[in-house]
Coordinates of all heavy atoms in Angstrom, one line a residue:
M1 N 183.4 138.0 10.2 CA 182.9 136.7 10.6 C 182.4 135.9 9.4 O 181.7 136.4 8.6 CB 181.9 136.9 11.7 CG 181.2 135.6 12.1 SD 180.0 135.9 13.4 CE 178.6 136.3 12.4
F2 N 182.7 134.6 9.4 CA 182.2 133.8 8.3 C 180.8 133.4 8.6 O 180.5 132.9 9.7 CB 183.1 132.5 8.1 CG 184.4 132.8 7.4 CD1 185.5 132.9 8.1 CD2 184.4 133.0 6.1 CE1 186.7 133.1 7.5 CE2 185.6 133.2 5.4 CZ 186.8 133.3 6.1
V3 N 179.9 133.6 7.7 CA 178.5 133.1 7.8 C 178.3 131.8 7.1 O 177.7 130.9 7.6 CB 177.5 134.2 7.3 CG1 176.1 133.7 7.2 CG2 177.7 135.5 8.1
C4 N 178.9 131.8 5.9 CA 178.8 130.5 5.1 C 180.1 129.9 5.0 O 181.0 130.3 4.3 CB 178.3 130.9 3.7 SG 178.2 129.4 2.6
I5 N 180.3 128.8 5.8 CA 181.5 128.1 5.9 C 181.8 127.4 4.5 O 183.0 127.4 4.1 CB 181.5 127.1 7.0 CG1 181.2 127.8 8.3 CG2 182.8 126.3 7.1 CD1 182.1 128.9 8.7
C6 N 180.8 126.8 3.9 CA 181.0 126.1 2.7 C 181.6 126.9 1.6 O 182.4 126.4 0.8 CB 179.7 125.5 2.2 SG 178.9 124.3 3.3
N7 N 181.3 128.2 1.5 CA 181.7 129.0 0.5 C 182.7 130.1 1.0 O 183.1 131.0 0.2 CB 180.5 129.7 -0.2 CG 179.7 128.7 -1.0 OD1 180.2 128.1 -1.9 ND2 178.5 128.5 -0.6
A8 N 183.0 130.0 2.2 CA 183.9 131.0 2.9 C 183.4 132.5 2.6 O 184.2 133.3 2.2 CB 185.4 130.9 2.3
L9 N 182.2 132.7 2.9 CA 181.6 134.0 2.7 C 181.4 134.7 4.0 O 180.9 134.1 5.0 CB 180.2 133.9 2.0 CG 180.2 133.4 0.6 CD1 178.8 133.2 0.0 CD2 181.0 134.3 -0.3
R10 N 181.9 135.9 4.1 CA 181.8 136.6 5.4 C 180.5 137.4 5.4 O 179.8 137.7 4.4 CB 183.0 137.6 5.4 CG 184.3 136.9 5.5 CD 185.4 137.9 5.5 NE 186.7 137.3 5.4 CZ 187.5 136.9 6.4 NH1 187.0 137.2 7.6 NH2 188.6 136.3 6.2
D11 N 180.1 137.8 6.7 CA 178.9 138.6 6.9 C 178.9 139.9 6.0 O 177.9 140.2 5.5 CB 178.7 138.9 8.3 CG 179.9 139.5 9.0 OD1 181.0 139.6 8.4 OD2 179.8 140.0 10.1
R12 N 180.0 140.5 5.9 CA 180.1 141.8 5.2 C 179.8 141.6 3.7 O 179.2 142.4 3.0 CB 181.4 142.5 5.4 CG 182.6 141.8 5.0 CD 183.9 142.6 5.2 NE 185.1 141.8 4.8 CZ 186.1 141.5 5.7 NH1 186.0 141.9 6.9 NH2 187.1 140.8 5.2
D13 N 180.3 140.4 3.2 CA 180.1 140.1 1.8 C 178.6 139.9 1.5 O 178.1 140.4 0.5 CB 180.9 138.9 1.3 CG 182.4 139.1 1.6 OD1 182.9 140.2 1.4 OD2 183.1 138.1 2.0
L14 N 178.1 139.1 2.3 CA 176.6 138.7 2.2 C 175.7 139.9 2.4 O 174.8 140.1 1.7 CB 176.3 137.5 3.1 CG 176.9 136.2 2.7 CD1 176.9 135.2 3.9 CD2 176.2 135.6 1.5
A15 N 176.1 140.7 3.4 CA 175.2 141.8 3.7 C 175.3 142.8 2.6 O 174.2 143.5 2.3 CB 175.7 142.5 5.0
E16 N 176.4 143.0 2.0 CA 176.5 144.0 0.9 C 175.7 143.5 -0.3 O 175.0 144.3 -0.9 CB 178.0 144.1 0.4 CG 178.2 145.1 -0.6 CD 177.9 146.6 -0.1 OE1 178.0 146.8 1.1 OE2 177.4 147.4 -1.0
A17 N 175.7 142.2 -0.6 CA 174.9 141.6 -1.7 C 173.4 141.7 -1.4 O 172.6 141.8 -2.3 CB 175.4 140.2 -1.9
A18 N 173.1 141.6 -0.1 CA 171.7 141.6 0.3 C 171.1 143.0 0.2 O 169.9 143.2 0.2 CB 171.6 141.1 1.7
K19 N 172.0 144.0 0.2 CA 171.5 145.4 0.1 C 170.9 145.8 -1.3 O 170.3 146.8 -1.4 CB 172.6 146.4 0.5 CG 173.0 146.4 1.9 CD 174.1 147.4 2.2 CE 174.5 147.4 3.6 NZ 175.7 148.2 3.8
T20 N 171.3 145.0 -2.3 CA 170.9 145.3 -3.6 C 169.4 145.0 -3.8 O 168.8 144.5 -2.8 CB 171.7 144.5 -4.6 OG1 171.5 143.2 -4.4 CG2 173.2 144.9 -4.5
D21 N 168.9 145.2 -4.9 CA 167.5 144.9 -5.1 C 167.2 143.4 -5.4 O 166.6 143.0 -6.4 CB 167.0 145.7 -6.3 CG 167.7 145.5 -7.6 OD1 168.8 144.8 -7.5 OD2 167.3 145.9 -8.7
T22 N 167.7 142.6 -4.5 CA 167.6 141.2 -4.6 C 166.8 140.6 -3.5 O 167.2 140.5 -2.4 CB 169.0 140.5 -4.6 OG1 169.6 140.9 -3.4 CG2 169.8 141.0 -5.8
P23 N 165.6 140.0 -3.9 CA 164.8 139.5 -2.8 C 165.0 138.1 -2.4 O 164.3 137.5 -1.6 CB 163.4 139.7 -3.4 CG 163.6 139.5 -4.9 CD 165.0 140.1 -5.1
T24 N 165.9 137.4 -3.1 CA 166.1 136.0 -2.8 C 167.5 135.6 -2.3 O 168.5 136.3 -2.6 CB 165.8 135.1 -4.1 OG1 166.9 135.3 -5.0 CG2 164.5 135.4 -4.7
V25 N 167.5 134.5 -1.5 CA 168.8 134.0 -1.0 C 169.7 133.6 -2.2 O 170.9 133.9 -2.2 CB 168.6 132.9 0.0 CG1 169.9 132.2 0.3 CG2 167.9 133.4 1.2
A26 N 169.1 132.9 -3.2 CA 169.8 132.4 -4.3 C 170.5 133.6 -5.0 O 171.7 133.4 -5.5 CB 168.9 131.7 -5.3
E27 N 169.9 134.7 -5.2 CA 170.5 135.9 -5.9 C 171.6 136.4 -5.1 O 172.6 136.8 -5.7 CB 169.4 136.9 -6.1 CG 169.9 138.1 -6.9 CD 170.4 137.7 -8.3 OE1 170.0 136.7 -8.9 OE2 171.3 138.5 -8.8
V28 N 171.5 136.4 -3.8 CA 172.6 136.9 -2.9 C 173.8 136.0 -3.2 O 175.0 136.5 -3.3 CB 172.2 137.0 -1.5 CG1 173.4 137.2 -0.6 CG2 171.2 138.1 -1.2
F29 N 173.6 134.7 -3.2 CA 174.8 133.8 -3.4 C 175.3 134.0 -4.8 O 176.6 134.0 -5.0 CB 174.3 132.4 -3.2 CG 174.4 131.9 -1.8 CD1 173.4 132.1 -0.9 CD2 175.6 131.3 -1.4 CE1 173.5 131.7 0.4 CE2 175.7 130.9 -0.1 CZ 174.7 131.1 0.8
R30 N 174.5 134.2 -5.8 CA 175.0 134.5 -7.2 C 175.8 135.7 -7.2 O 176.9 135.7 -7.8 CB 173.8 134.6 -8.1 CG 173.4 133.3 -8.7 CD 172.5 133.5 -9.9 NE 171.2 134.1 -9.6 CZ 170.2 133.4 -9.1 NH1 170.2 132.1 -9.0 NH2 169.0 134.0 -8.8
R31 N 175.4 136.7 -6.5 CA 176.2 138.0 -6.5 C 177.5 137.8 -5.8 O 178.4 138.6 -6.0 CB 175.4 139.1 -5.9 CG 174.3 139.6 -6.8 CD 173.4 140.7 -6.2 NE 172.3 141.0 -7.1 CZ 172.3 142.1 -7.8 NH1 173.2 143.0 -7.7 NH2 171.3 142.3 -8.6
C32 N 177.6 136.8 -4.9 CA 178.9 136.5 -4.2 C 179.7 135.5 -5.0 O 180.7 135.1 -4.6 CB 178.6 136.0 -2.8 SG 178.0 137.3 -1.7
G33 N 179.2 135.1 -6.2 CA 179.9 134.2 -7.0 C 179.9 132.7 -6.5 O 180.8 132.0 -6.8
S34 N 178.8 132.4 -5.8 CA 178.8 131.0 -5.2 C 177.3 130.5 -5.2 O 176.4 131.2 -5.7 CB 179.4 131.0 -3.8 OG 178.6 131.9 -3.0
R35 N 177.2 129.3 -4.7 CA 175.9 128.7 -4.6 C 175.8 128.0 -3.2 O 176.8 127.6 -2.6 CB 175.7 127.6 -5.6 CG 175.9 128.0 -7.0 CD 175.9 126.9 -8.0 NE 174.6 126.4 -8.1 CZ 174.2 125.4 -8.9 NH1 175.1 124.8 -9.6 NH2 173.0 125.0 -9.0
P36 N 174.6 128.0 -2.6 CA 174.4 127.3 -1.3 C 174.7 125.8 -1.5 O 174.5 125.2 -2.5 CB 172.9 127.5 -1.0 CG 172.5 128.6 -1.9 CD 173.3 128.6 -3.1
K37 N 175.3 125.3 -0.4 CA 175.7 123.9 -0.4 C 175.0 123.1 0.7 O 174.0 122.5 0.4 CB 177.2 123.7 -0.3 CG 177.9 124.3 -1.6 CD 179.4 124.2 -1.5 CE 180.0 124.8 -2.8 NZ 181.4 124.9 -2.6
C38 N 175.5 123.2 1.9 CA 174.8 122.4 3.0 C 173.5 123.1 3.4 O 172.6 122.4 4.0 CB 175.8 122.3 4.2 SG 175.9 123.8 5.2
G39 N 173.4 124.4 3.3 CA 172.2 125.1 3.6 C 172.1 125.6 5.1 O 171.1 126.3 5.4
K40 N 173.1 125.3 5.9 CA 173.0 125.7 7.3 C 173.0 127.3 7.4 O 172.5 127.8 8.4 CB 174.2 125.2 8.0 CG 174.1 123.7 8.3 CD 175.2 123.1 9.1 CE 175.0 121.6 9.4 NZ 176.2 121.1 10.1
C41 N 173.6 128.0 6.5 CA 173.7 129.4 6.6 C 172.4 130.1 6.0 O 172.3 131.3 6.2 CB 174.9 129.9 5.9 SG 174.9 129.6 4.1
L42 N 171.6 129.4 5.4 CA 170.5 130.0 4.7 C 169.6 130.9 5.6 O 169.2 132.0 5.2 CB 169.7 129.0 3.9 CG 170.4 128.3 2.8 CD1 169.5 127.3 2.0 CD2 171.1 129.3 1.9
P43 N 169.3 130.4 6.8 CA 168.5 131.3 7.7 C 169.2 132.6 8.0 O 168.5 133.7 8.1 CB 168.3 130.4 9.0 CG 168.4 129.0 8.5 CD 169.5 129.1 7.4
D44 N 170.5 132.6 8.2 CA 171.2 133.8 8.5 C 171.2 134.7 7.2 O 171.1 136.0 7.4 CB 172.6 133.5 8.9 CG 172.7 132.8 10.2 OD1 171.8 133.0 11.0 OD2 173.6 131.9 10.4
V45 N 171.4 134.2 6.1 CA 171.4 135.0 4.9 C 170.0 135.6 4.6 O 169.8 136.7 4.3 CB 171.8 134.2 3.6 CG1 171.7 135.0 2.4 CG2 173.3 133.7 3.8
A46 N 169.0 134.7 4.9 CA 167.6 135.2 4.7 C 167.3 136.4 5.7 O 166.7 137.3 5.4 CB 166.6 134.1 5.0
Q47 N 167.9 136.3 6.9 CA 167.7 137.3 7.9 C 168.4 138.6 7.4 O 167.8 139.7 7.6 CB 168.2 136.9 9.2 CG 167.9 137.9 10.3 CD 168.3 137.5 11.7 OE1 168.8 136.3 11.9 NE2 168.2 138.3 12.7
M48 N 169.5 138.5 6.8 CA 170.2 139.6 6.3 C 169.4 140.3 5.3 O 169.3 141.6 5.2 CB 171.6 139.2 5.7 CG 172.6 138.8 6.7 SD 174.1 138.3 5.9 CE 175.2 138.2 7.3
I49 N 168.8 139.5 4.4 CA 168.0 140.1 3.3 C 166.8 140.8 4.0 O 166.4 141.9 3.6 CB 167.5 139.0 2.3 CG1 168.7 138.5 1.6 CG2 166.4 139.6 1.4 CD1 168.4 137.2 0.8
D50 N 166.2 140.1 4.9 CA 165.0 140.6 5.6 C 165.3 141.9 6.3 O 164.5 142.9 6.2 CB 164.5 139.6 6.6 CG 163.0 139.8 7.0 OD1 162.3 140.3 6.1 OD2 162.7 139.5 8.1
E51 N 166.4 142.0 6.9 CA 166.8 143.2 7.6 C 167.1 144.3 6.6 O 166.8 145.5 6.8 CB 168.0 143.0 8.5 CG 167.7 142.1 9.7 CD 169.0 141.7 10.5 OE1 170.1 142.0 10.0 OE2 168.8 141.0 11.5
A52 N 167.8 144.0 5.5 CA 168.2 145.0 4.5 C 167.0 145.5 3.7 O 166.9 146.6 3.3 CB 169.2 144.4 3.6
R53 N 166.1 144.6 3.4 CA 165.0 145.0 2.5 C 163.6 145.0 3.1 O 162.7 145.3 2.5 CB 165.0 144.0 1.3 CG 166.3 143.8 0.6 CD 166.8 145.1 -0.1 NE 165.9 145.4 -1.1 CZ 165.9 146.6 -1.7 NH1 166.7 147.5 -1.4 NH2 165.0 146.9 -2.6
G54 N 163.5 144.5 4.3 CA 162.2 144.5 5.0 C 161.3 143.4 4.4 O 160.1 143.5 4.5
L55 N 161.8 142.4 3.7 CA 161.0 141.4 3.1 C 160.6 140.4 4.2 O 161.4 140.0 5.1 CB 161.7 140.8 1.9 CG 162.0 141.7 0.8 CD1 162.8 141.0 -0.3 CD2 160.8 142.3 0.2
Q56 N 159.5 139.7 4.0 CA 159.0 138.7 4.9 C 159.0 137.3 4.3 O 159.0 136.3 5.0 CB 157.6 139.1 5.4 CG 157.5 140.4 6.1 CD 158.3 140.3 7.4 OE1 158.3 139.4 8.1 NE2 159.0 141.4 7.7
Q57 N 159.1 137.2 3.0 CA 159.0 135.9 2.4 C 160.2 135.5 1.6 O 160.1 134.9 0.5 CB 157.8 135.8 1.5 CG 156.5 136.0 2.3 CD 155.3 135.9 1.4 OE1 155.4 136.0 0.2 NE2 154.1 135.8 2.0
V58 N 161.4 135.6 2.1 CA 162.6 135.3 1.4 C 162.8 133.8 1.2 O 163.4 133.4 0.2 CB 163.9 135.9 2.1 CG1 163.9 137.4 2.0 CG2 163.9 135.5 3.5
F59 N 162.3 133.0 2.1 CA 162.5 131.6 2.0 C 161.6 131.0 0.8 O 162.1 130.1 0.1 CB 162.0 130.8 3.2 CG 163.1 130.9 4.3 CD1 162.9 131.5 5.5 CD2 164.3 130.2 4.1 CE1 163.9 131.5 6.4 CE2 165.3 130.3 5.0 CZ 165.1 130.9 6.2
A60 N 160.5 131.6 0.6 CA 159.6 131.2 -0.5 C 160.3 131.3 -1.9 O 160.1 130.5 -2.8 CB 158.3 131.9 -0.5
A61 N 161.1 132.3 -2.0 CA 161.8 132.6 -3.3 C 163.1 131.9 -3.4 O 163.8 131.8 -4.4 CB 161.9 134.1 -3.5
A62 N 163.7 131.3 -2.3 CA 165.0 130.8 -2.3 C 165.1 129.5 -3.0 O 166.1 129.1 -3.6 CB 165.5 130.6 -0.8
G63 N 164.0 128.8 -3.0 CA 163.8 127.5 -3.7 C 165.0 126.7 -4.0 O 165.5 126.0 -4.6
Ligands
LIG1 S1 177.4 127.1 5.4 FE1 176.5 128.1 3.7 S2 176.0 126.5 2.3 FE2 177.0 125.5 3.9

């Protein structure tokens, strides 16, 4: 399933990138070779990070 339409990123791609030692949304996008554009997917990506890493403040670092 596509999570980020702007960058054609699937849930499995983002979830895999979120499993690494990366606490920010921006880093997950970098690991997928892209950058956020419209921002509509950012809450979903942040949730993936939160679920994968147990972090609570991913938005603060997404800047
Ligand atoms: S849907 Fe991800 S940046 Fe637009």
Side-chain angles (χ1 to χ4, degrees):
M1 175 179 84
F2 284 103
V3 173
C4 178
I5 303 303
C6 295
N7 292 297
L9 295 175
R10 296 176 187 268
D11 53 348
R12 62 178 178 239
D13 303 322
L14 291 162
E16 187 63 30
K19 287 180 185 173
T20 61
D21 57 348
T22 57
T24 68
V25 171
E27 183 61 26
V28 169
F29 273 88
R30 271 194 293 276
R31 288 179 184 253
C32 290
S34 61
R35 305 173 72 179
K37 294 178 182 169
C38 76
K40 288 183 178 177
C41 65
L42 296 184
D44 294 329
V45 176
Q47 185 176 356
M48 288 179 169
I49 294 170
D50 200 30
E51 289 172 357
R53 308 295 297 165
L55 298 177
Q56 297 298 317
Q57 297 182 344
V58 290
F59 281 115

